Amino acid sequence: MSFIMLERLISSILNCFSQIMLQQNTVIGFLFALGIGVNSPTMLFGATLAILSSLVFSTLYRYNSCAIHQGLYGYNAALAGIAVLFFLPLSMLSCALVILAGVGSTMIMHFFQHKLPQLPAFTAPFIITTWILLIVLDLVGIDRLVIPFKTDNYGDFFAVMRGVGQVMFQANWLSGLVFSLALLLYSAKLAISAMIGSLLGVVIARYLGFSEDWLVMGLYGFNASLSAIVLMTHCPHKKWLIMLGVTMSILLTRFFEIIPLAALTAPFVLSSWLILVLVKMHEKNIEQS
């Protein structure tokens, strides 16, 4: 492999990591990978293996080379790879499932780009792939891991940072801090949006009497954090819509907590889709009037 090819491969991998929070920047991607590795080298391995499977598959099937390099196919694969090693111990089986999840999420992303180009995929391919995986695991009777949460850091600052960290399954405030600093290097507005979204997850969940355990772990914050990033990008001047989308993501997280289905990033995707539809409807009405 030539130096140029190796350099392009590394930049593609890092772009995949950065696109998890919908950015394209190799430095951000490196810091996101670092943030994962700080908490779980195993999950970092899963993310990297899934990204590689996505890059190989999308290249073999001649998907758009620019989209591949930008990380648009690989970021859902990265999340799916992390998810597999969140729910299962590291083994030959879980590694095979990581590769399958990486390929599956890539195929679904390709479907969104070519069949539903008007609808931003966000992390929907990761969600669909992981839900299918979890259903299959339940059907064949494979037990999932239950990772105990232990910490001496119960302050709201740590909960907010964990909310940012949980975007990539990291219940570690230090990972969340690294992710936030990575965003800050690219855009102070996006970093602040991510932290405010996670903070709102803490405030709103506590006000409504939601699970304090979930709150401390950042589980009400990560969908709110992603929603704030996306909506601040798509409708920066409509603060009430951003607030509505963030609040909806928190309420949907609570809904998924009640039903027997892992929320993953579905609350973020559903709330963001709805807000973007409202924005387009509003813009269309203005054009017609």
Side-chain angles (χ1 to χ4, degrees):
M1 181 182 291
S2 69
F3 176 78
I4 294 176
M5 291 177 64
L6 180 61
E7 183 181 33
R8 185 173 178 82
L9 173 63
I10 293 172
S11 64
S12 296
I13 292 171
L14 294 178
N15 283 336
C16 291
F17 276 107
S18 70
Q19 289 283 5
I20 293 174
M21 287 195 184
L22 311 175
Q23 312 304 314
Q24 184 193 331
N25 184 286
T26 55
V27 176
I28 290 178
F30 172 78
L31 290 174
F32 283 177
L34 178 64
I36 298 169
V38 163
N39 184 55
S40 175
T42 300
M43 291 187 195
L44 177 58
F45 168 74
T48 306
L49 180 60
I51 288 172
L52 289 172
S53 69
S54 172
L55 293 175
V56 170
F57 180 84
S58 55
T59 301
L60 287 175
Y61 279 83
R62 301 181 184 277
Y63 291 175
N64 184 280
S65 60
C66 290
I68 294 171
H69 180 65
Q70 290 168 0
L72 296 178
Y73 285 110
Y75 75 94
N76 277 287
L79 286 171
I82 295 171
V84 171
L85 294 183
F86 176 83
F87 291 111
L88 294 174
L90 183 61
S91 66
M92 292 297 292
L93 172 62
S94 61
C95 286
L97 291 175
V98 165
I99 294 171
L100 287 175
V103 170
S105 64
T106 302
M107 294 172 65
I108 296 171
M109 184 63 176
H110 189 67
F111 174 83
F112 267 92
Q113 289 193 325
H114 289 268
K115 301 298 182 181
L116 299 170
Q118 72 283 2
L119 186 66
F122 297 136
T123 56
F126 147 67
I127 297 165
I128 295 168
T129 302
T130 306
W131 276 349
I132 292 172
L133 171 67
L134 294 177
I135 291 169
V136 171
L137 291 178
D138 289 341
L139 288 175
V140 300
I142 297 177
D143 293 332
R144 307 179 201 167
L145 279 175
V146 178
I147 301 175
F149 177 75
K150 297 179 180 179
T151 183
D152 295 324
N153 302 313
Y154 284 101
D156 286 347
F157 167 78
F158 299 106
V160 170
M161 288 298 102
R162 288 190 196 101
V164 179
Q166 288 280 14
V167 171
M168 302 179 213
F169 289 85
Q170 307 308 307
N172 184 324
W173 70 269
L174 183 56
S175 295
L177 181 61
V178 173
F179 297 161
S180 299
L181 291 175
L183 287 174
L184 186 61
L185 289 175
Y186 182 76
S187 168
K189 182 183 292 186
L190 290 179
I192 293 170
S193 297
M195 289 184 281
I196 288 177
S198 184
L199 175 61
L200 288 171
V202 171
V203 173
I204 294 173
R206 182 170 288 145
Y207 177 77
L208 295 175
F210 294 169
S211 169
E212 188 70 18
D213 289 339
W214 273 48
L215 186 154
V216 170
M217 290 173 64
L219 294 176
Y220 294 117
F222 72 96
N223 278 291
S225 184
L226 281 171
S227 297
I229 291 172
V230 166
L231 297 177
M232 180 59 73
T233 302
H234 284 82
C235 45
H237 304 299
K238 296 179 173 63
K239 299 297 190 293
W240 70 275
L241 279 177
I242 297 172
M243 185 65 184
L244 176 61
V246 168
T247 303
M248 283 179 55
S249 72
I250 298 164
L251 296 177
L252 284 169
T253 300
R254 173 59 178 166
F255 170 75
F256 277 99
E257 183 186 0
I258 296 170
I259 66 173
L261 185 63
L264 305 176
T265 52
F268 145 65
V269 172
L270 294 174
S271 59
S272 296
W273 278 348
L274 179 58
I275 296 302
L276 293 179
V277 167
L278 291 176
V279 169
K280 287 185 179 181
M281 289 175 61
H282 178 67
E283 291 174 348
K284 187 175 181 180
N285 289 335
I286 291 176
E287 292 175 357
Q288 292 177 346
S289 61

